[in-house]
Amino acid sequence: MDSSRIDGHWIEEEIANINFGDLRLNKRFQILAAELANNPSQPINQASTDWAATKAAYRFFGNSKVQSAKILEPHFLNTQLRAQGQKRLIVVQDTSFLDYTKHVKTEGLGRIGKYPGVEPQGLILHCALALSEKGLPLGLLHQKIWPRTRMMGKNRQTESLIPIEKKESFKWFEGLKSILETAPDHDVVMVCDREGDIYQLFEESISCGINFVIRAIHPRMLEDEDFGD
């Protein structure tokens, strides 16, 4: 196995084309990324080599030129390069919740659940991960992070009146759009859990020529089912 895949040096190649429009920021990010890649389970203050590096990391993330889209851009491009030559791509969409409930001074968070006496605060993370047909991870094709601004009610009749574009579930359609934009020449099989069991998503995927495997949550009758007399 290539030792660069073990000691974290792989990140240097992955982000070689990073561009924040500032050479100093580009260099700082390359150093910071290498430190985090070598210590992926550690927070910034422990992954950094010393206190000066820690402060530099905090200043880096506080810079207005540093945007998540810029950070992800070289990775997305490398994912597409790794996907070249693949006969079929398996693209898995999934959602995670980033829990920052204990970060009481952090602004811009939203509710990520509800428990008796507790309202967890954090961010929603939705990704589309590309894999080879044999299951080898190739990288992300799509990622979106946002705070939930409201909790959806339980009134099904009211919920049905909200346009899909205004619902949190629109994330699946945004992921599908990114798949179409980043893998237009591939035979794609999109995989989603039961949260993606949305009829409109079926329709959109079929109309775009995207195959899919989605875990069912709603009972449905197929038109060719024969239940006999």
Side-chain angles (χ1 to χ4, degrees):
M1 180 180 292
D2 185 348
S3 61
S4 67
R5 301 295 168 180
I6 299 175
D7 61 16
H9 288 170
W10 61 270
I11 195 68
E12 296 176 6
E13 179 181 345
E14 189 72 8
I15 63 171
N17 295 321
I18 193 73
N19 185 12
F20 296 107
D22 186 319
L23 292 177
R24 293 172 300 174
L25 287 178
N26 296 348
K27 183 62 177 179
R28 171 51 56 187
F29 179 64
Q30 289 168 347
I31 295 172
L32 175 59
E35 291 177 338
L36 293 175
N38 281 310
N39 301 278
S41 63
Q42 300 298 325
I44 289 175
N45 62 325
Q46 295 182 30
S48 300
T49 54
D50 51 35
W51 179 236
T54 300
K55 291 193 293 184
Y58 291 144
R59 287 197 302 269
F60 171 83
F61 286 116
N63 193 301
S64 61
K65 294 182 180 180
V66 176
Q67 302 294 329
S68 60
K70 288 291 185 180
I71 293 175
L72 288 167
E73 188 175 275
H75 171 65
F76 287 157
L77 291 175
N78 278 305
T79 299
Q80 293 175 57
L81 289 174
R82 286 188 285 268
Q84 290 181 358
Q86 296 290 332
K87 181 178 180 181
R88 173 176 291 167
L89 288 181
I90 310 299
V91 182
V92 181
Q93 287 204 62
D94 200 12
T95 303
S96 299
F97 296 93
L98 309 180
D99 191 345
Y100 297 116
T101 304
K102 295 183 179 180
H103 296 234
V104 294
K105 294 184 179 181
T106 301
E107 299 179 351
L109 303 177
R111 291 170 62 181
I112 57 173
K114 187 175 182 180
Y115 304 100
V118 180
E119 290 186 358
Q121 298 290 306
L123 300 171
I124 304 173
L125 168 69
H126 189 77
C127 298
L129 174 67
L131 303 97
S132 71
E133 194 170 7
K134 293 184 178 181
L136 178 67
L138 302 172
L140 295 176
L141 292 175
H142 171 75
Q143 184 183 94
K144 181 181 179 181
I145 303 176
W146 73 98
R148 178 181 280 148
T149 55
R150 64 189 179 92
M151 292 290 287
M152 304 305 294
K154 298 296 184 180
N155 189 320
R156 290 181 177 272
Q157 185 174 4
T158 302
E159 185 77 6
S160 65
L161 299 177
I162 302 175
I164 189 66
E165 295 83 2
K166 300 294 185 180
K167 296 181 179 180
E168 190 173 296
S169 55
F170 190 60
K171 61 190 178 185
W172 302 99
F173 296 84
E174 293 177 308
L176 175 60
K177 180 181 178 182
S178 291
I179 293 170
L180 292 168
E181 291 175 347
T182 54
D185 301 322
H186 290 83
D187 176 14
V188 174
V189 177
M190 182 178 68
V191 180
C192 308
D193 62 16
R194 61 183 185 173
E195 191 184 354
D197 185 3
I198 306 168
Y199 185 77
Q200 295 98 314
L201 184 62
F202 298 169
E203 286 188 311
E204 187 71 15
S205 300
I206 292 172
S207 67
C208 295
I210 297 292
N211 298 309
F212 56 87
V213 177
I214 300 177
R215 183 179 180 184
I217 188 175
H218 301 293
R220 292 188 175 86
M221 181 183 294
L222 303 179
E223 62 180 18
D224 60 348
E225 283 185 344
D226 183 5
F227 293 95
D229 295 331

